[in-house]
Amino acid sequence: MGSKQLISAHKENAEIYHGSCLCKQKSIELLCLMNLPKALLPLTDLVELGYNPITGFVWLKQKQPYHHRFRGIGRTVSYDAEVTTFIEDGRMRRLTGVKSKELLIWVSISDIYVDENQDHAGTITFASSTGLARTFPVSTFEVDE
């Protein structure tokens, strides 16, 4: 199912916001509400944000794709013009539109979760559908760089 079809399937009962400042504010509020780091989605020029609290489906639309360098972990992340995910407490699953540069290739990120295990408290893991995963300190994504 394409992202346009997925979005239209979840529009009923969704909270939909427009405008760059309001969408940025609502994206940060949603991340905080779901116990995810507030700088996890450093998107600029957002034109629409939608959130269906019943299904947990979120979509973000930007004017154009965006590349962001997380200096704290030394990684560049690419965000498509449309990013979609199902969000729940401490986790994003079935993520689309987000890729991380690993060595010379771009790897699609499909899951992001904060580890609640006592041994790994304060870590966040980014996983691809191919099984590749990287774990970093949550603190790296708490403050906009």
Side-chain angles (χ1 to χ4, degrees):
M1 182 182 283
S3 65
K4 288 186 190 330
Q5 292 170 320
L6 198 54
I7 291 169
S8 63
H10 288 276
K11 272 198 172 183
E12 189 175 329
N13 300 316
E15 301 166 8
I16 302 173
Y17 304 96
H18 295 94
S20 184
C21 289
L22 181 60
C23 289
K24 181 69 173 174
Q25 174 192 340
K26 291 297 182 180
S27 70
I28 292 169
E29 287 174 10
L30 183 59
L31 289 169
C32 290
L33 178 69
M34 294 297 167
N35 299 306
L36 290 163
K38 64 183 177 184
L40 191 58
L41 298 171
L43 305 178
T44 60
D45 293 330
L46 286 167
V47 293
E48 182 177 285
L49 178 142
Y51 170 55
N52 185 326
I54 296 169
T55 63
F57 184 74
V58 176
W59 70 91
L60 302 113
K61 292 183 182 180
Q62 315 183 78
K63 290 181 182 175
Q64 60 190 13
Y66 175 67
H67 285 73
H68 181 79
R69 177 87 175 159
F70 287 100
R71 286 176 280 169
I73 60 169
R75 295 281 194 281
T76 299
V77 177
S78 169
Y79 299 90
D80 288 346
E82 279 187 10
V83 174
T84 65
T85 189
F86 286 89
I87 195 167
E88 55 194 59
D89 189 31
R91 183 173 185 176
M92 291 180 167
R93 58 186 175 78
R94 292 178 51 195
L95 185 65
T96 66
V98 179
K99 295 177 183 175
S100 174
K101 189 138 191 191
E102 297 291 329
L103 298 175
L104 299 174
I105 60 169
W106 288 98
V107 177
S108 294
I109 305 298
S110 61
D111 285 291
I112 300 173
Y113 57 92
V114 174
D115 199 332
E116 296 175 9
N117 182 336
Q118 293 293 346
D119 296 338
H120 299 99
T123 61
I124 186 166
T125 300
F126 299 82
S128 72
S129 58
T130 61
L132 184 66
R134 296 276 186 254
T135 301
F136 302 100
V138 169
S139 59
T140 305
F141 303 93
E142 286 294 346
V143 180
D144 262 333
E145 297 179 329

